């Protein structure tokens, strides 16, 4: 029996592939790309894979606390509208790599629960 969303999603390789697609989409989005200027994207992608995997029950996250990790982008105007766009892009990326829609929606609930930590000053 599958115990967690990490396994339902397809594990590490699926999360990694979805994260790659996610950042491809985000970087092409003129409303979001500027938030990543000067960012080491390889490092960010690896941390994001680790973070998403942890949220879904798959592994330990050793990166920055979510509020601290987003401090700089809050200063540059990160809003609820941007967070909505991020969720939309991640949902689409999950489906592009084969995650079933119902499982992607369950994952979105978990990601949505992090909105306050990302956005609140």
């Amino acid at each position: 029996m599958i115990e967690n969303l990490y396994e339902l999603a397809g594990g590490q390789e699926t999360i990694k592939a979805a994260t790659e697609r996610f950042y491809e989409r985000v970087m092409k989005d003129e409303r979001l790309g500027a938030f990543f200027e000067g960012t080491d994207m390889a490092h960010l992608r690896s941390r994001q894979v680790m973070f998403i995997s942890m949220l879904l029950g798959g592994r330990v996250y050793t990166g920055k606390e979510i509020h601290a990790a987003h401090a700089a982008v809050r200063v540059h105007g990160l809003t609820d509208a941007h967070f909505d766009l991020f969720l939309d892009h991640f949902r689409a990326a999950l489906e592009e790599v084969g995650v079933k829609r119902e499982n992607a929606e369950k994952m979105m609930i978990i990601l949505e629960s992090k909105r306050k930590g990302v956005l609140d000053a």
Side-chain angles (χ1 to χ4, degrees):
M1 181 169 126
I2 294 175
E3 297 285 327
N4 59 42
L5 282 175
Y6 181 77
E7 293 174 20
L8 281 173
Q12 178 75 14
E13 290 307 310
T14 300
I15 298 303
K16 185 176 180 182
T19 301
E20 290 293 327
R21 293 275 178 94
F22 167 72
Y23 281 114
E24 288 170 9
R25 297 173 65 87
V26 165
M27 296 307 287
K28 291 177 185 175
D29 189 324
E30 63 188 34
R31 300 161 294 181
L32 300 173
F35 287 109
F36 298 95
E37 289 178 8
T39 300
D40 177 347
M41 293 304 294
H43 178 74
L44 178 59
R45 284 190 302 272
S46 71
R47 292 297 175 188
Q48 186 76 342
V49 168
M50 189 188 315
F51 182 72
I52 298 296
S53 296
M54 179 271 304
L55 287 178
L56 301 178
R59 61 190 287 200
V60 174
Y61 174 69
T62 59
K64 291 181 182 176
E65 184 273 328
I66 195 166
H67 188 260
H70 293 87
V73 291
R74 284 194 305 275
V75 170
H76 293 316
L78 188 68
T79 67
D80 279 301
H82 296 117
F83 194 87
D84 290 341
L85 291 168
F86 282 111
L87 291 179
D88 290 346
H89 284 305
F90 202 78
R91 179 184 295 109
L94 287 167
E95 291 179 15
E96 286 174 12
V97 299
V99 175
K100 293 180 182 176
R101 182 173 299 240
E102 61 269 18
N103 293 333
E105 289 306 317
K106 290 174 186 175
M107 294 166 72
M108 291 301 102
I109 292 168
I110 293 171
L111 295 176
E112 174 62 43
S113 75
K114 300 304 174 188
R115 181 183 297 262
K116 184 176 171 84
V118 169
L119 295 175
D120 285 353

